[in-house]
């Protein structure tokens, strides 16, 4: 199935790890997996999860101001606690927390009202389900997959019937998400704990797409995913095909009250432009408190990023990956028609900005956001090897606080020289 064009055009999504782990501000699911607290202590947070100020319309408005085109919310993490009133199992916030209601319906409706894509995160694994630790991955890449009591059966003695019950539960929950909320995107996780065959990925994919053929699936559906999901660092080489960088605003996916290491707006602009310059999307993670409010420090970062995107939207939406490394010292994007290059300059340009290997003649160069036109000239070159395009540095008043973007309008479609020069 071809990739849905809305996804590759979106550029920015917001990732929300929202669940009972926000009550004590502990790591989502992993805090009891790693023994930082007992399972009983972890689940005691159910009693403090109120969603008392949960306002999905306010979320959607914030995400739109940030320049995002979609969001992904943790419908169920590895802890097995569902944010909706599932008919499968009994562990959900509607039945067992003061929140007392389905939190997904309002989220999906609010995003659609703002024209944003609806994404739902769902973990294949469930460390609280009684039938989960019943089989062993035949080709594990992580040792604890075969030894951890929440994942593997005691003594390695498998219970195939229990596993069949678990897969039926997983399939039924995913079916509820598809039928009730019609997500545009399903963001799976936890895939490393079983093989593709054990997960029945092909069958799950077929069920999802039979009910909703346009659903986008991430690569944690293994062979049946549509796009790659690197985490926490821009890759040096872009993955093949569509992809998305998952990045936290601070150091945590969910709300952790001790984590104040928020990335600056300038740094987020840098991650964002480096990602879209390589043809990917940025999925930027914020962690709501248990009451449903997003911390002010993270709101400030989202709005700051949105302000920058608003001033430079021409270089963001409707573009594709820009120049390969080495042609310009910084990321770049290219208009879909191939006739305008957008050069991102993180530091204040001094004297000039150079572009190497550009065969296409340049018609005009200007500063995006202010419209100031910049003198430019090509120096050197041979018949088969183009010279270097030198663009005069913009005036101080035309330099953007986070990152300056130069629009290079070309006489025709971009044509690059990639050779080694004359022998």
């Amino acid at each position: 199935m071809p990739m849905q064009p809305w996804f590759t055009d979106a550029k920015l999504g917001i990732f929300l790890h929202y669940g009972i782990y926000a009550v004590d501000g502990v790591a989502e699911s992993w805090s009891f997996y790693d023994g930082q607290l007992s399972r009983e202590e972890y689940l005691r947070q159910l009693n403090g999860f109120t969603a008392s100020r949960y306002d999905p319309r306010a979320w959607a408005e914030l995400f739109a101001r940030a320049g995002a085109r979609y969001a992904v919310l943790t419908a169920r993490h590895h802890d097995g606690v569902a944010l909706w009133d599932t008919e499968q199992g009994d562990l959900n916030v509607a039945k067992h927390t003061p929140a007392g209601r389905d939190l997904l319906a309002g989220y999906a409706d609010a995003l659609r009202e703002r024209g944003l894509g609806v994404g739902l995160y769902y973990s294949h694994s469930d460390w609280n389900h009684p039938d989960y630790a019943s089989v062993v991955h035949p080709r594990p890449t992580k040792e604890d997959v075969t030894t951890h009591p929440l994942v593997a059966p005691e003594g390695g003695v498998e219970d195939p019937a229990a596993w069949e019950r678990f897969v039926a539960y997983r399939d039924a929950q995913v079916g509820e998400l598809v039928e009730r909320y019609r997500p545009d995107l399903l963001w799976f996780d936890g895939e490393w704990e079983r093989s593709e065959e054990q997960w029945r990925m092909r069958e799950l994919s077929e069920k999802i797409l039979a009910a909703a053929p346009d659903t986008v699936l991430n690569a944690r559906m293994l062979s049946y995913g549509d796009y790659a999901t690197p985490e926490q660092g821009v890759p040096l080489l872009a993955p093949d095909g569509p992809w998305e960088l998952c990045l936290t605003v601070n150091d945590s996916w969910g709300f952790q009250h001790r984590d104040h290491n928020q990335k600056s707006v300038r740094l987020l602009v840098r991650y964002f432009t480096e990602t879209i310059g390589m043809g990917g999307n940025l999925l930027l993670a914020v962690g709501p408190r248990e009451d449903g409010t997003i911390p002010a420090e993270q709101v400030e970062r989202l709005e700051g990023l949105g302000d920058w995107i608003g001033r430079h939207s021409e270089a963001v939406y409707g573009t594709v990956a820009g120049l390969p490394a080495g042609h310009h010292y910084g990321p770049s994007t290219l208009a879909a028609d191939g006739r305008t290059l957008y050069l991102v300059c993180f530091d204040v340009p001094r004297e000039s900005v150079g572009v190497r290997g550009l065969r296409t003649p340049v018609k005009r160069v200007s500063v995006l956001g202010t419209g100031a036109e910049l003198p430019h000239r090509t120096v050197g070159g041979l018949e088969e090897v183009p010279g270097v395009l030198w663009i005069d540095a913009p005036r101080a008043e035309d330099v953007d606080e986070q990152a300056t973007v130069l629009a290079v309008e070309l006489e025709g479609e971009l044509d690059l020289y990639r050779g080694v020069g004359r022998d």
Side-chain angles (χ1 to χ4, degrees):
M1 183 183 75
M3 186 52 155
Q4 296 299 315
W6 74 261
F7 179 83
T8 49
D9 290 342
K11 308 304 181 185
L12 179 65
I14 305 299
F15 210 178
L16 297 134
H17 282 64
Y18 183 42
I20 66 168
Y21 35 86
V23 172
D24 291 341
V26 295
E28 58 291 332
S29 306
W30 292 98
S31 50
F32 77 89
Y33 181 96
D34 292 337
Q36 299 167 40
L37 65 168
S38 69
R39 187 202 306 240
E40 292 70 29
E41 289 170 325
Y42 184 89
L43 289 177
R44 203 173 296 146
Q45 295 177 102
L46 287 163
N47 300 325
F49 186 75
T50 68
S52 59
R53 299 173 63 191
Y54 175 59
D55 183 352
R57 282 192 172 87
W59 279 9
E61 291 293 334
L62 171 62
F63 304 159
R65 291 199 304 275
R69 297 291 175 86
Y70 65 107
V72 177
L73 172 63
T74 47
R76 181 176 74 64
H77 207 265
H78 315 314
D79 60 9
V81 181
L83 292 190
W84 77 101
D85 190 8
T86 177
E87 296 175 9
Q88 306 300 316
D90 196 39
L91 192 53
N92 67 78
V93 301
K95 290 193 177 88
H96 293 293
T97 73
R101 64 192 189 280
D102 176 348
L103 299 180
L104 298 187
Y107 159 83
D109 291 344
L111 261 58
R112 289 199 171 97
E113 286 172 8
R114 289 293 293 147
L116 304 178
V118 176
L120 293 175
Y121 167 113
Y122 183 89
S123 173
H124 294 291
S125 59
D126 183 340
W127 297 332
N128 269 310
H129 195 284
D131 291 324
Y132 183 63
S134 54
V135 294
V136 179
H137 194 312
R139 301 173 298 278
T141 57
K142 300 182 180 182
E143 183 180 348
D144 61 345
V145 165
T146 62
T147 59
H148 200 288
L150 296 178
V151 179
E154 186 175 357
V157 179
E158 297 190 332
D159 184 345
W163 182 247
E164 290 301 318
R165 291 194 298 269
F166 178 80
V167 171
Y169 149 83
R170 187 274 317 262
D171 287 356
Q173 280 203 327
V174 172
E176 288 178 348
L177 295 178
V178 172
E179 293 295 332
R180 294 186 194 180
Y181 313 109
R182 311 299 289 183
D184 301 291
L185 183 154
L186 280 170
W187 208 105
F188 287 96
D189 201 6
E191 81 295 341
W192 68 89
E193 293 192 334
R194 300 288 186 261
S195 69
E196 184 169 300
E197 296 76 22
Q198 287 172 321
W199 285 129
R200 319 279 166 77
M201 291 297 197
R202 179 179 61 80
E203 294 88 340
L204 179 60
S205 170
E206 289 173 350
K207 289 174 183 175
I208 294 168
L209 298 179
D214 294 335
T215 310
V216 175
L217 307 175
N218 73 336
R220 300 176 196 199
M221 281 290 289
L222 301 174
S223 298
Y224 301 92
D226 296 312
Y227 70 94
T229 54
E231 291 184 15
Q232 295 290 50
V234 181
L236 294 180
L237 296 174
D240 291 335
W243 63 282
E244 168 192 77
L245 172 66
C246 311
L247 181 78
T248 52
V249 170
N250 55 7
D251 294 329
S252 308
W253 296 104
F255 174 72
Q256 295 193 32
H257 53 271
R258 295 183 182 87
D259 184 355
H260 303 293
N261 192 29
Q262 312 288 344
K263 296 175 179 67
S264 67
V265 172
R266 183 177 285 109
L267 191 56
L268 292 176
V269 168
R270 184 162 192 145
Y271 274 107
F272 177 64
T273 54
E274 287 176 344
T275 300
I276 67 171
M278 293 173 66
N281 288 355
L282 178 64
L283 185 63
L284 189 58
V286 295
R289 299 183 186 88
E290 65 80 19
D291 67 1
T293 58
I294 296 172
E297 300 87 352
Q298 298 195 337
V299 170
E300 178 188 338
R301 267 64 177 185
L302 294 187
E303 291 179 335
L305 177 59
D307 287 344
W308 185 89
I309 292 173
R311 295 192 299 274
H312 303 91
S313 59
E314 182 185 318
V316 174
Y317 307 117
T319 65
V320 296
L323 298 168
H327 288 269
H328 160 63
Y329 292 106
S332 60
T333 59
L334 179 66
D337 65 3
R339 300 175 72 95
T340 305
L341 263 175
Y342 301 98
L343 310 176
V344 181
C345 303
F346 296 127
D347 299 317
V348 176
R350 298 173 62 182
E351 186 179 347
S352 55
V353 174
V355 181
R356 298 190 293 176
L358 186 60
R359 284 198 178 108
T360 318
V362 174
K363 182 164 53 177
R364 182 176 182 269
V365 180
S366 60
V367 181
L368 208 58
T370 72
E373 189 164 348
L374 301 178
H376 59 88
R377 61 206 171 281
T378 298
V379 176
L382 297 168
E383 183 178 344
E384 68 276 19
V385 182
V388 178
L389 171 68
W390 293 108
I391 303 165
D392 284 4
R395 299 169 303 175
E397 56 265 35
D398 293 312
V399 171
D400 189 272
E401 183 181 357
Q402 274 78 41
T404 304
V405 179
L406 309 183
V408 181
E409 300 172 41
L410 307 173
E411 295 283 1
E413 290 187 23
L414 176 68
D415 182 14
L416 286 180
Y417 173 75
R418 301 283 289 159
V420 297
R422 182 177 174 180
D423 293 338

